Amino acid sequence: AQKVTQAQTEISVVEKEDVTLDCVYETRDTTYYLFWYKQPPSGELVFLIRRNSFDEQNEISGRYSWNFQKSTSSFNFTITASQVVDSAVYFCALSDENTGNQFYFGTGTSLTVIP
Amino acid sequence: KAGVTQTPRYLIKTRGQQVTLSCSPISGHRSVSWYQQTPGQGLQFLFEYFSETQRNKGNFPGRFSGRQFSNSRSEMNVSTLELGDSALYLCASSLRPYRFEAFFGQGTRLTVV
């Protein structure tokens, strides 16, 4: 069965600190996709990144970076030099071929950046 | 390019009533999915439509139903509302199912009293 675990429920950091959000997933499929979404207080889920199971290259986008490791079934997300605007709930999600476009979401990590 | 539009943004209904929520996907997107978000259960998949066909359905009672029109717009309906149906209902659109990123609307906040 598919499952996504985000063990960190809440994290608080002081502005300009780096922070890593953990995501561990389970799936029996060899072809799957992993996603990160940000949910600010307005409620909309904002797409951050998509990764397929065949591409283990790490990715950097500005202050954001992602570390995908199939060996440990992890897809961690790091924010460098955090800012107050990064405060939000972050969700990791998994989809695979057998479940169509259904996303299995983790429970989310609430990040608070303190000025 | 307009994003995903959900209407209405807020709704207050009474137990036993029914409600219809609407979602207009991004132009050109043919896949629409619906999710329910509650503090206790998190984000749970309701159903997914592609080219007017329901392709996948989550573990929700038959009171929850949906449809997709030829212009890809989608509606979901909840009949005989219960207090536990109070939630944020999110719609997501993507070009096609599975391997494409989904873009979410701001959701409809439903409160059942």
Side-chain angles (χ1 to χ4, degrees):
Chain A
Q2 292 80 359
K3 185 179 178 183
V4 175
T5 301
Q6 293 180 258
Q8 304 151 308
T9 306
E10 295 181 3
I11 299 178
S12 291
V13 298
V14 176
E15 200 171 20
K16 297 184 183 175
E17 286 184 344
D18 299 347
V19 58
T20 295
L21 310 182
D22 298 333
C23 172
V24 174
Y25 63 91
E26 295 176 31
T27 177
R28 291 197 202 110
D29 292 335
T30 56
T31 304
Y32 52 89
Y33 285 80
L34 296 165
F35 303 80
W36 276 95
Y37 282 87
K38 172 183 179 180
Q39 188 176 41
S42 61
E44 179 179 358
L45 284 167
V46 178
F47 167 77
L48 295 177
I49 190 171
R50 175 191 62 162
R51 220 45 179 167
N52 74 54
S53 52
F54 299 110
D55 183 1
E56 284 194 75
Q57 280 193 342
N58 291 333
E59 181 154 338
I60 298 174
S61 176
R63 297 184 297 106
Y64 295 170
S65 62
W66 290 269
N67 183 357
F68 177 28
Q69 292 194 341
K70 285 179 77 171
S71 60
T72 56
S73 297
S74 65
F75 186 42
N76 296 337
F77 172 33
T78 297
I79 301 174
T80 303
S82 59
Q83 300 176 1
V84 173
V85 293
D86 295 328
S87 296
V89 181
Y90 291 85
F91 290 94
C92 180
L94 164 75
S95 76
D96 58 43
E97 193 166 25
N98 290 329
T99 56
N101 216 24
Q102 175 180 349
F103 283 9
Y104 291 89
F105 282 94
T107 50
T109 297
S110 178
L111 174 65
T112 301
V113 181
I114 304 165
Chain B
K1 193 174 186 181
V4 180
T5 303
Q6 290 188 246
T7 56
R9 289 290 311 281
Y10 302 93
L11 264 179
I12 300 177
K13 289 287 188 178
T14 305
R15 265 184 307 176
Q17 288 186 312
Q18 76 164 21
V19 66
T20 299
L21 313 181
S22 178
C23 172
S24 293
I26 293 171
S27 178
H29 285 194
R30 294 165 58 195
S31 175
V32 174
S33 301
W34 289 88
Y35 289 82
Q36 181 197 65
Q37 185 176 26
T38 59
Q41 300 298 319
L43 281 154
Q44 292 187 288
F45 171 75
L46 280 157
F47 23 65
E48 182 223 347
Y49 290 88
F50 177 66
S51 295
E52 301 178 67
T53 301
Q54 186 181 89
R55 295 182 69 252
N56 202 359
K57 189 177 193 303
N59 189 25
F60 278 82
R63 301 185 296 107
F64 291 80
S65 63
R67 58 179 176 169
Q68 185 180 34
F69 302 95
S70 58
N71 62 358
S72 294
R73 190 177 70 86
S74 177
E75 288 181 348
M76 68 162 280
N77 185 277
V78 188
S79 63
T80 319
L81 284 166
E82 300 176 359
L83 295 179
D85 297 332
S86 296
L88 179 65
Y89 290 88
L90 291 162
C91 165
S93 86
S94 61
L95 276 169
R96 276 181 284 282
Y98 170 46
R99 57 179 61 83
F100 292 91
E101 55 266 37
F103 297 90
F104 285 78
Q106 287 189 294
T108 294
R109 174 76 62 184
L110 172 65
T111 301
V112 182
V113 297

